[in-house]
Amino acid sequence: MSGRITGGLLALAIGISASSSATAACSALQDTPQVPTDLSLCQKLEPVVKRPAALPLNEYEEALNQYFGHFCHRDAKAGWVRDKYVRDTGPYVANLAGGTWSGKDFGTHAPVVIWYSPDFVKWLKVARPADEAARPAEEPPVPDGAMIVKEMYPAPAALCAKEDPLMLKPTSGAAFMVRDAEASHDGWYWGWYGWSDDPKANIDWPPRPSNGLPYQGFGQYCLNCHASAVSNSTFSNLSNIEGEPGRPISFLSQDFALDLGAEPHHLALTELPPAVDDPKPSPGELNADVARLFDYVFASLPKPIDALQMPSASYDTVWVKEHRETTAKSQYLTSDQCVGCHDAGSTGLQFDMTRPAPVDQVHNPDGTKLINMSPYGTWRNSPMGLAGRDPIFFSQLASETQSFHPDVSPEVQSICLGCHGIQGQRQFQLDDHLKTGSCPDFERAMADAVPYPPGNPSAKLADFGALARDGISCTACHHAIFKDADVAEANGSPANRCVLDRQDQLNPKNLAEGFARTFTGSYFVGPADQLKGPFEHPKQVPMKNALGITPGHDDSFLKSDLCGSCHTVHLPVLDRGKLLGYTFEQTTYPEWAFSDYRTGVTANGELPLGAGPKAESCQGCHMKSKDDAGNPLVSKIASIQEHSSFPEVENGLGPDVLDLERRANFALHTLVGLNVFLIEMADQFPDFLGIAVQDPMLVSKGIDNIVTTRNKMLENAEGLSASIAVTSLSEDAGHLKAKVQIASKVGHKFPSGVGFRRAFVEFRALDAEGKALWTSGGTNGAGVIVNGKGEPLPGELWWTPDCSARIAPLERRHQPHYQTISSEDEAQIYQELVSTPAPSGAPSCGHDAAPAGQLTTSFLSICSHVKDNRILPSGYLPFEQRVRIANALGSKGEALAEDTGSVGVGDDPDYVTGGGDTITYDIETAKLSGPVASVEATLYYQAIPPFYLQDRFCTAKGTDRDRLAYLTSKLELADTLAADWKLKMVSAACSKSPAGGAGKTGADAAKGSAVNASAVCPQ
C-alpha cells in the first residue's frame, strides 16, 4: 500500500473527519442566553441609535456601544426578528495537503445570523414579499431608523447551525446598517461592532495607532458589495427569516475538514496591527554629521513632541451627503470613498489587481503574500497620495509665509495648498462661493481641522481638512477636463468659478490662453456626478448606486495634459508683498514637450513638430502598464460583488451590469520619481504623520504598499533614470585623465520638478587596495559635499550653525558647471539655483536680468536664474522651436522657452541637443600619496540637500518646521541606498592595466595594476 490509500480507507478517513465535525464545539456557544436584560435602557437608547446623523460620530458610537453591548437588537418583544439559523454566505471548501485536511471559507461574510428591526421587516414584507407576483414595480425606500444587524460566527456554519442563536455570542462581531437617508447618497450608516470587555473597543475617538479606516460611519467601504443589490443597498430576503416561508440559499460545505485558524476577512479589516513608530536613537548616535550640522535646531525641539503629530487619517472621510443627486457640494471626496472597489482584496474572495510577491526574508519569508497593484494601493503611499501630509512641503510653506512673504501670507497659503491640498482648497472655495459669491483663501490651519472632539474650534472645517490631507486624491484627477468642448461647457459652473479666479491670478490672459491657463494645477473639472477614466464602457451601476456618480470614458487620461497642468508651475514673483512679474518655477511637462519623448499631441489635437523619435507619454513612464517582458498588464479595474464570480445572493443585480471585463494596459498608479527620503519618513514614522501602515482592504495578505513604492523608486534610480560610464582612462606627463559620461533616460531635465533637487557625481581615484587617493564630489554623513580635507565646498551651507546669519549671501557661492575638473575642491552638481531681487534699489527681474540678490529656496522670489545645468533630455529642441510649441500650448511670448533653457553651462556641447553630459577629470598624480589602480564614478541624487534643510530650519519656526526637524534628527538611513543622505543611483569603474592593455570595469576595477597606462574602459 506504500504511498497509496484504498477507496475503503479513504471513505473511513472521511467518515472519521465527518464524525469529528459533528461533535466539534461551537466556540460562540454561551452558558446563558445573550438577550437584553435592561429593557428600560434599550428603550431609552432606541430613538438615539435610529438617528445616526443627529449626533457627532463619537457620541453616537458611545450610545451604539451600549445598545449592542446589552444585546438590545435581540429584543423579540419589541418586534426584532432573526434568521432561521446560522447560515453560510458562500462555500466552505476542503483541501488535502501533506496528509492533513484543511478548510477555507469562501463566503462574502463569515457565517451569519441577521437580526432585523420591526420597521425593516415591515418594509421587507411590502417591498420583497414571499409572493413574487406581489412585488411592487419599484421598491419603496427603506424607512429611516430601520436597522439590520449581521452577527458573524466561525466557519463553517455547520459548527453552530443547530444551536439556538440566542445562546450564541458573535465571534467575529457584527456588521450593521442603520437607515438615515438624508445623510448620504446611499442612505445608510454602516459599521462593525465587536463584543469586548473594553468599553472603548468600538469607538473611533481617540484614533487607534493604526490610523486605519473608522469602524463606523456614512459612505463606508461596505458599498463595494452592497452597491450590487437591486435596490436600497441590501440583499435581504424574507426566506432567511425565522417563521417566514422558504429557505436560505445553501452552499457547498465540506465541513469534515474544519480549519478554524483562518481569520474572517471582515474581522481582519477591523483588527489592524498598531502602527507604533519604532523607538529611535538620539541624533548623535544615528548620524554624527547630521547632529553637528543641525544641532542648534534639534536642541530647540519641543518635549514631548506629541503636538507635532499630524491628525490621524482615520478622520479623512468625506462622503456624498446629498441623497438624491450628487452636486457640487460633493465635488471632491476622500479616497476612502473609492477604496472599497478600487483597492485589491476588498472582498476577501477575489484578488484581481494583485500578483504574487517574490520571496523576501524581510517582507515575504514564506512566499504567501501579494503585491497590491490596484489604483488605491499603488497611489496611497506615493508622493501624490502623501502630498497633503508631506512634512517637507509644510516646512517650505512655513518659510514662505513667515520669512519670505509674510505680507501676503494668506494668499501664498492658498496658492500652495491649491496643489498639495487641492481638494480641501477647492471645496472650501466652492462652498463659500455658493454662499457668498467670494473665493476666500484656504489657509494652512484649515488643513489640520478635525471633527472631534465636538465643539473644537476647527470642527466646522473638518471636511476641508480631511480633503486637504488626502493629498492629490482620486476625485482631484478623475474630475479633470481638458477638451475644449468640455471646458467651454464647464465654464461658469460652480465648481470652476474659483478655479477661473486662480487662472487669472497665476496665468493671466496677457500671458496665457488655452491649456496654459491651467498651469499650476488650475484645470477645470466636470460635473460632480461624473468621473472619467481611460477605459471605454465602464460598468456604471455600482458607482451610481454607491456615490451617485456615473463613470465614463475620456481619452484625455492617456495624454500628458493630465500631468502637465500641475507639473508646469507658473508663479508670481513677489517682493515685500509687491508683484514684480511671473516666472516658471517648475517646467517638467514642457521639458518633455521639447524633447525626443514628446508625443506631439494634446487632448485637443496635434502640436508643431509632431512626435519625437522616442515618443512616450508621462503616464507611459510613471504609470507602468506593461510587465518586465513588455507585455500589457491585464486586470479588472475594480473589486466589487460581481454576479458570476461571487456566491449567489438574493436581490442582487445581474451579470450585464455587474460582471467586469479584464482590461489590457491596466496602469499602476505608483506615480513616483526619486524622493525616497519622503518615503522613508512615511515608512519609519507612520503614527507621527498620521498615516496607515497596513492596506485597509488587502490587509495582511499583502506586502505593505509603501514597500512597493520604495522599490519602484529604487528601480527608477538604478536602471530607469540615467546611466554612467567611465569611457576612457589614460595617464601621461604626470596627469591621469578620465572621461565620465552620463546618459539621461528620462523625458525631462534630470533632476526635474522643484528647483532644490539635485544630482552630483562622486569621482574617486583608488589605489590597489581600493583606498581613495583623490575624490571629487565626496560627502560627509549629512550629505554635504566636501573637499579632500573634509571641508564643505562653497555654497554647500547657506547659514551659520546657529541660524543667526546667511553666509556671504550676495556672493551667491556655488559650484559652477564644469567640463573639466582638476581639483578636489570642484564637483559636478546638476541643479537649478535662483536669486531673489536685489536687497535695495529698483528690482530688475527676468530672463535678461543679472542676479543681484541672494540664492533662495523661495518659490515666489525667483527674480533671476544663477545656474541651471540639469541634464537635458535627448533631442532637446532649439529655442525657436521651443517657442513654437510653447505658443501652441497657450504660453504667450518667449517666457516658457526661456525658462526651460540652461543657464551657466558655457559652450558645453552636451547642452545643445541634450541627452547627457561628459566630464573630464584631470588629476596631477605627483600630488597623490600613491599610484592609481582604478577610478570609480557614482551618480547620486538628493531630493532634500543639506542647504535646503538648513534653509528650512533657519527661515521657519513652529510646528511645521519642528516636525521636519524631528524627522531629520531621527531618520535612519544607514542600511538603505540613501545612506549618508544621498541616494545612490548608478556607478561605473575602470581599472588601469599594463601599457596597451584594456581596462577593467565593475567589481574588477580595484584589482588593476598601477603603472603608466592608457585604458579604454569597455561599458
Side-chain angles (χ1 to χ4, degrees), residues 812-844:
R812 291 175 295 280
R813 295 178 178 179
H814 67 280
Q815 287 290 297
H817 176 74
Y818 294 101
Q819 294 186 59
T820 299
I821 289 177
S822 56
S823 168
E824 290 180 291
D825 292 324
E826 301 169 340
Q828 186 75 315
I829 306 173
Y830 300 107
Q831 62 186 160
E832 178 186 30
L833 293 172
V834 295
S835 169
T836 66
S840 61
S844 175

Side-chain angles (χ1 to χ4, degrees), residues 460-497:
K460 64 182 180 180
L461 299 170
D463 278 3
F464 309 120
L467 287 166
R469 293 190 298 272
D470 206 40
I472 303 164
S473 191
C474 315
T475 52
C477 292
H478 286 275
H479 275 312
I481 54 174
F482 293 99
K483 291 181 178 176
D484 289 341
D486 294 338
V487 170
E489 184 178 352
N491 192 16
S493 70
N496 292 308
R497 287 171 187 157

Side-chain angles (χ1 to χ4, degrees), residues 125-377:
K125 290 183 176 181
V126 172
R128 299 174 183 177
D131 181 3
E132 286 286 333
R135 279 203 175 202
E138 183 176 342
E139 282 191 3
V142 175
D144 280 356
M147 298 178 68
I148 307 170
V149 183
K150 187 181 300 183
E151 298 178 349
M152 295 182 284
Y153 294 96
L159 283 170
C160 300
K162 294 183 179 180
E163 306 294 345
D164 180 356
L166 294 178
M167 300 296 294
L168 304 178
K169 188 173 183 178
T171 52
S172 298
F176 64 90
M177 304 161 63
V178 185
R179 187 69 170 180
D180 198 339
E182 296 302 316
S184 68
H185 174 74
D186 67 272
W188 290 97
Y189 179 94
W190 308 84
W192 177 87
Y193 177 86
W195 278 264
S196 169
D197 294 332
D198 180 359
K200 297 292 185 182
N202 301 286
I203 305 299
D204 287 300
W205 171 266
R208 297 175 299 285
S210 64
N211 299 304
L213 298 179
Y215 289 127
Q216 304 171 26
F218 292 100
Q220 295 288 291
Y221 61 83
C222 315
L223 283 160
N224 75 309
C225 286
H226 282 263
S228 296
V230 291
S231 183
N232 284 285
S233 301
T234 175
F235 302 101
S236 298
N237 203 68
L238 281 174
S239 60
N240 295 322
I241 298 177
E242 183 183 30
E244 298 294 337
R247 299 178 58 189
I249 295 172
S250 59
F251 300 94
L252 170 69
S253 182
Q254 296 177 314
D255 52 64
F256 60 83
L258 296 176
D259 177 13
L260 305 183
E263 184 179 43
H265 179 72
H266 287 76
L267 184 60
L269 297 183
T270 63
E271 292 189 346
L272 298 179
V276 178
D277 299 340
D278 294 332
K280 307 293 182 188
S282 68
E285 296 172 320
L286 192 62
N287 186 313
D289 288 327
V290 170
R292 279 191 294 269
L293 179 58
F294 301 122
D295 176 68
Y296 173 76
V297 178
F298 294 166
S300 68
L301 290 176
K303 296 181 178 61
I305 50 93
D306 296 0
L308 304 181
Q309 289 189 243
M310 297 199 77
S312 173
S314 298
Y315 305 130
D316 295 352
T317 175
V318 178
W319 64 93
V320 178
K321 296 181 174 65
E322 306 97 307
H323 181 54
R324 292 165 185 81
E325 180 183 7
T326 301
T327 71
K329 294 178 181 178
S330 296
Q331 184 75 41
Y332 300 100
L333 308 172
T334 45
S335 58
D336 68 311
Q337 300 303 293
C338 309
V339 69
C341 297
H342 294 287
D343 194 7
S346 57
T347 59
L349 295 179
Q350 295 288 356
F351 296 96
D352 298 298
M353 303 183 286
T354 69
R355 63 181 175 87
V359 174
D360 179 318
Q361 291 307 309
V362 176
H363 304 293
N364 189 25
D366 59 0
T368 61
K369 294 198 174 184
L370 300 166
I371 290 177
N372 190 337
M373 300 165 60
S374 69
Y376 178 90

Side-chain angles (χ1 to χ4, degrees), residues 20-43:
S20 299
S21 170
T23 59
C26 171
S27 59
L29 188 61
Q30 305 296 304
D31 295 330
T32 58
Q34 305 296 291
V35 295
T37 56
D38 190 344
L39 294 179
S40 62
L41 175 64
C42 293
Q43 291 169 3

Side-chain angles (χ1 to χ4, degrees), residues 588-600:
T588 304
Y589 170 82
E591 290 160 17
W592 163 85
F594 302 153
S595 77
D596 274 347
Y597 294 86
R598 67 187 183 277
T599 59

